[in-house]
Amino acid sequence: MNLVIFIIFFPVYLQVIWLCLIFLGNLKRPREHSSYHSPKRKFLILVPAHNESAGIANCIRSLKTIDYPENLYNIQVIADNCDDDTAQKARDEGALVWERSSEERKSKGYALEDAFKKYLVETDTEAFIVIDADTEVDRNLLNEFNEDLQLEKDWIQAYYTGSNVDASWRTRLMEWGFAVFNGSYLQGLSSLGLSVPLRGNGMCFSREGLQRVPWSCSGLAEDMEFGWELRFKNERVHFNPNARVKGEFVSQGATASSQRKRWEDGRSAVRSSFKDRMNELPAFKRFLYGFDLRMWPMAKLLGSLFLYGLLAFILARDVLALAIVLLLIVTLYVFSPFIFGLASPRLVGAAVHVPRYVIWKLFVKMKKSTSSWVRTTREAENSAETFDFCDLQFSRLSKSETVEKILSISQEERVSWIVTPNSDIVLRAQKDPKFKGVVQKASLLTPDGMPIVWASKILGGPIPERVTGADLLPAICLAAANRGIKVCFLGGHEGEAEQAVENFKKQNSNFDCMTIYPPMGFDQDEKLNDGIVAKLRQGKPQIVFVGVGSPKQEYWVYDNRSDLPHGVYLGVGMSISLAAGNKSRAPQWMQDSGLEWVYRIFQEPRRMIKRYSGNFEIFVLIFQEWRKKRR
């Protein structure tokens, strides 16, 4: 019986041995640069864009913040068969634009093929970088690539992850999967001296490399296809985990299913086309790349291991120990991004959604295959920009889009205020008409509470993700530092604002922030109030985080709006204390499940029990709104 089980599950052993090698390869970590050589290489950043009006501006703004001499890189948008205003928006942001049109050659692969041919002749560019139109990049991207090119690496793949990780349970699991598939796996291959697969986004090719092996791939998985062509040409793609790009994950089920099916079909087609060519490779590389070509999906491998362990337990318990060892190896591989610092530990909580994800993927597998390229619908295009709940218009922007929106508002010549309503604020607005008026007049309402997100899914117009003041404050501060925008912390306990500033300066020394500690009762004392307004008028911050608690912070901004300097004012409650490190947030799984209130009660039982005891009324409001829609 042991021999029968061994023979049946022999492919499983091979899969686990391969993943063990990959895991061991991660023990050899590339050294992070403490400083860079002087910039030398001239880069052309290619942004293929088919009807990307919703996100092209954000992508270009991110690319323009790269820390590299402006005269040594250009941003070239390929407006490919567009019938929207992608080209104009790209020009408005200062990018170069090539408007390409071809009914026969219609895909990202064809667009890149034509672009490489065109710009190899028309420019003196020394290296080309491919960035998707929904992407944000790290400021050190070109410096990292410049270092690699100086080491004569002609083909480089950046570490590609997500920008909207917290949009849904699906995007959190995708971030974990990307950290394994685009991080640990590539690092393991690279450490073994093998050419890594291309991932389509964050690819860097030298002029010399493209002259030796021109791009000529246009299938559903053109990146994977070209990566294999390079292997057969004895070229090596290097992985650089310190060069990072972040694309937008799809959070909506139908769109995610369509995208996933296209990826799976494309990879299947590539595997079928290249398996007969493996004899072209040297024996050793044929052996190792064979594992890569035939690697199973993780769900299939874990399912096989579970079945193996079950049969061993029932029929052959003397091999049960081997089943446990195999499962341990796979577990180490799955958790390798956390072990080797490629992913945030807070993602571990997403593991509770794995069964749900596996079931979803099974349904995706059963969908009809496609042979033609179809553009993925972006998050901002899914429907209207707001969700109406209890006469309050909630933004349906993702966190990254909200940050961009607020940065844009901060440049306007007026006083604007942002409110981040949770259940408490929504309920207060229903009982207090004056407060409701203040909230309704805000430039933006972001959904701070999970019940609001749930309501949007029940009532129609689903909000992609919860966007809290605690999430916005650090994201805005770091983005503002990159763009030279001055901010102010007004609130928190004494000394907390200064500590928060110090923490952000450690992350970006360009962070420019003034701090104001408002004494107790400042809003009722005319002299104290005027003093705070005078400090703001003198300092002229463009973004002010007001952390004095709700409803005081909303009333204060509204009552003083005619005297305050132009800028955007955000009510952020205890977020300054969180940024200072004096308070902690609930684990990510509690935030995702709508249980952060439980954590807050344990932190401050007396205050929070009183506050949350009445908040269950929000579900009554949701039910009432649902009844209205049913009539």
Side-chain angles (χ1 to χ4, degrees):
M1 183 57 68
N2 289 0
L3 181 60
V4 173
I5 291 177
F6 179 83
I7 293 172
I8 292 174
F9 288 94
F10 184 70
V12 175
Y13 303 148
L14 294 179
Q15 293 286 324
V16 176
I17 290 170
W18 175 240
L19 294 187
C20 183
L21 286 174
I22 294 295
F23 179 82
L24 294 174
N26 275 267
L27 296 174
K28 181 183 177 183
R29 305 299 300 164
R31 188 175 62 185
E32 292 190 17
H33 298 105
S34 56
S35 61
Y36 294 105
H37 290 97
S38 297
K40 291 184 178 180
R41 295 297 194 281
K42 198 177 230 182
F43 292 95
L44 182 63
I45 302 175
L46 298 176
V47 185
H50 172 63
N51 291 345
E52 296 286 358
S53 175
I56 191 66
N58 288 344
C59 175
I60 295 170
R61 289 170 195 157
S62 175
L63 293 171
K64 292 178 78 171
T65 66
I66 290 175
D67 184 17
Y68 203 77
E70 291 183 6
N71 64 318
L72 291 181
Y73 80 98
N74 283 316
I75 303 166
Q76 178 71 61
V77 173
I78 309 166
D80 187 38
N81 290 285
C82 292
D83 51 26
D84 65 356
D85 61 347
T86 295
Q88 188 56 51
K89 284 193 173 182
R91 289 191 183 97
D92 290 344
E93 293 297 330
L96 303 172
V97 178
W98 173 38
E99 295 189 59
R100 175 184 176 275
S101 180
S102 173
E103 286 300 318
E104 296 77 25
R105 295 165 56 82
K106 203 177 202 179
S107 73
K108 176 182 174 182
Y110 283 130
L112 287 176
E113 182 180 349
D114 292 349
F116 287 134
K117 288 178 182 177
K118 176 181 174 68
Y119 296 115
L120 278 170
V121 174
E122 294 181 5
T123 71
D124 60 350
T125 297
E126 296 172 86
F128 298 84
I129 298 170
V130 179
I131 296 294
D132 284 348
D134 61 349
T135 300
E136 300 171 4
V137 303
D138 277 5
R139 296 181 73 241
N140 66 338
L141 185 72
L142 296 190
N143 276 310
E144 287 290 339
F145 284 155
N146 183 62
E147 294 291 317
D148 287 336
L149 291 166
Q150 291 200 51
L151 296 174
E152 299 185 351
K153 298 178 181 180
D154 290 321
W155 314 94
I156 310 156
Q157 174 61 56
Y159 180 26
Y160 171 24
T161 58
S163 61
N164 59 328
V165 178
D166 295 318
S168 70
W169 63 269
R170 187 181 289 107
T171 57
R172 283 182 285 279
L173 279 178
M174 286 182 69
E175 177 75 356
W176 189 342
F178 269 47
V180 175
F181 194 57
N182 294 350
S184 301
Y185 188 72
L186 298 194
Q187 181 56 47
L189 284 175
S190 190
S191 296
L192 293 172
L194 301 175
S195 179
V196 307
L198 291 169
R199 295 306 191 213
N201 195 5
M203 305 181 296
C204 178
F205 307 148
S206 74
R207 169 179 284 271
E208 294 77 14
L210 283 169
Q211 288 172 335
R212 289 196 306 271
V213 187
W215 178 284
S216 58
C217 301
S218 56
L220 292 177
E222 72 288 325
D223 49 354
M224 186 177 179
E225 187 181 345
F226 189 61
W228 274 99
E229 287 291 351
L230 291 175
R231 286 172 169 176
F232 285 113
K233 294 291 193 297
N234 201 31
E235 300 279 342
R236 181 182 173 189
V237 180
H238 297 264
F239 176 55
N240 187 336
N242 300 318
R244 301 197 175 197
V245 298
K246 299 176 182 180
E248 182 185 74
F249 289 145
V250 177
S251 63
Q252 304 298 321
T255 308
S257 296
S258 173
Q259 182 189 61
R260 176 62 60 175
K261 185 62 177 174
R262 179 167 57 84
W263 286 351
E264 297 290 349
D265 289 346
R267 288 166 185 159
S268 178
V270 169
R271 290 188 184 102
S272 297
S273 64
F274 283 104
K275 67 181 181 181
D276 296 330
R277 293 180 56 188
M278 295 301 285
N279 288 332
E280 298 177 28
L281 296 169
F284 178 67
K285 287 188 176 180
R286 182 166 67 244
F287 175 71
L288 292 177
Y289 286 144
F291 280 111
D292 181 44
L293 187 67
R294 298 175 179 85
M295 192 177 74
W296 292 359
M298 188 52 59
K300 179 180 178 180
L301 179 57
L302 289 173
S304 300
L305 280 173
F306 175 77
L307 181 60
Y308 176 70
L310 185 64
L311 290 175
F313 180 78
I314 297 172
L315 303 173
R317 293 197 179 185
D318 49 339
V319 297
L320 185 59
L322 177 59
I324 294 172
V325 170
L326 295 176
L327 184 60
L328 177 61
I329 291 171
V330 175
T331 301
L332 284 173
Y333 170 73
V334 169
F335 282 85
S336 59
F338 309 112
I339 297 170
F340 299 112
L342 290 169
S344 169
R346 70 185 180 83
L347 288 176
V348 173
V352 299
H353 298 291
V354 167
R356 185 180 178 185
Y357 186 76
V358 171
I359 293 170
W360 172 71
K361 282 202 68 176
L362 287 174
F363 279 102
V364 171
K365 275 277 189 185
M366 291 186 287
K367 289 184 69 173
K368 185 179 178 181
S369 296
T370 179
S371 58
S372 59
W373 178 82
V374 179
R375 176 184 172 274
T376 300
T377 303
R378 303 304 181 196
E379 293 288 274
E381 302 168 19
N382 279 319
S383 57
E385 288 190 359
T386 61
F387 162 64
D388 186 359
F389 179 55
C390 296
D391 299 323
L392 301 177
Q393 298 290 324
F394 286 91
S395 163
R396 295 188 61 249
L397 300 175
S398 67
K399 184 174 75 172
S400 59
E401 291 167 341
T402 302
V403 170
E404 286 297 331
K405 179 82 170 177
I406 292 171
L407 291 174
S408 175
I409 294 173
S410 73
Q411 304 305 299
E412 297 174 1
E413 294 295 316
R414 64 187 179 102
V415 172
S416 303
W417 61 96
I418 313 295
V419 181
T420 58
N422 52 21
S423 299
D424 188 60
I425 290 177
V426 172
L427 291 170
R428 185 185 296 275
Q430 304 314 300
K431 299 170 184 176
D432 183 345
K434 181 182 177 184
F435 181 66
K436 187 175 188 177
V438 171
V439 175
Q440 287 176 326
K441 290 182 176 70
S443 298
L444 200 66
L445 302 184
T446 70
D448 190 289
M450 277 305 295
I452 299 164
V453 177
W454 295 333
S456 73
K457 297 183 188 303
I458 294 169
L459 302 173
I463 292 171
E465 62 181 315
R466 181 183 177 211
V467 182
T468 71
D471 292 326
L472 287 175
L473 186 144
I476 291 172
C477 284
L478 294 176
N482 288 334
R483 302 185 193 183
I485 296 174
K486 185 176 183 178
V487 306
C488 172
F489 292 154
L490 194 167
H493 295 297
E494 193 167 3
E496 285 184 334
E498 290 77 11
Q499 182 59 54
V501 172
E502 187 177 327
N503 293 343
F504 284 119
K505 278 187 174 291
K506 290 177 183 177
Q507 298 178 66
N508 190 323
S509 58
N510 294 324
F511 183 56
D512 184 9
C513 180
M514 61 181 286
T515 63
I516 299 175
Y517 173 66
M520 187 69 70
F522 75 97
D523 54 322
Q524 302 299 322
D525 187 309
E526 186 177 344
K527 186 176 180 180
L528 291 175
N529 190 77
D530 290 348
I532 289 172
V533 172
K535 287 180 181 178
L536 289 170
R537 292 178 70 86
Q538 183 179 4
K540 296 181 179 178
Q542 292 156 288
I543 301 174
V544 180
F545 296 97
V546 186
V548 295
S550 182
K552 181 190 291 187
Q553 58 199 19
E554 289 81 19
Y555 275 131
W556 184 82
V557 175
Y558 183 77
D559 291 342
N560 290 277
R561 64 191 185 283
S562 59
D563 298 319
L564 293 170
H566 293 162
V568 60
Y569 295 76
L570 288 86
V572 293
M574 61 177 273
S575 300
I576 296 174
S577 300
L578 291 170
N582 293 345
K583 288 188 177 180
S584 60
R585 288 191 74 182
Q588 190 65 45
W589 70 267
M590 294 186 81
Q591 296 179 40
D592 298 341
S593 306
L595 295 174
E596 191 166 11
W597 60 275
V598 177
Y599 188 84
R600 293 289 308 280
I601 285 176
F602 276 102
Q603 281 185 319
E604 303 176 77
R606 289 186 179 179
R607 188 167 77 91
M608 289 297 132
I609 287 176
K610 181 180 178 181
R611 171 177 165 179
Y612 288 126
S613 60
N615 280 5
F616 290 100
E617 291 178 39
I618 192 75
F619 298 106
V620 176
L621 290 179
I622 294 173
F623 178 72
Q624 290 172 344
E625 292 289 321
W626 178 77
R627 285 282 301 274
K628 287 180 188 176
K629 291 182 77 71
R630 295 269 293 178
R631 289 172 186 166

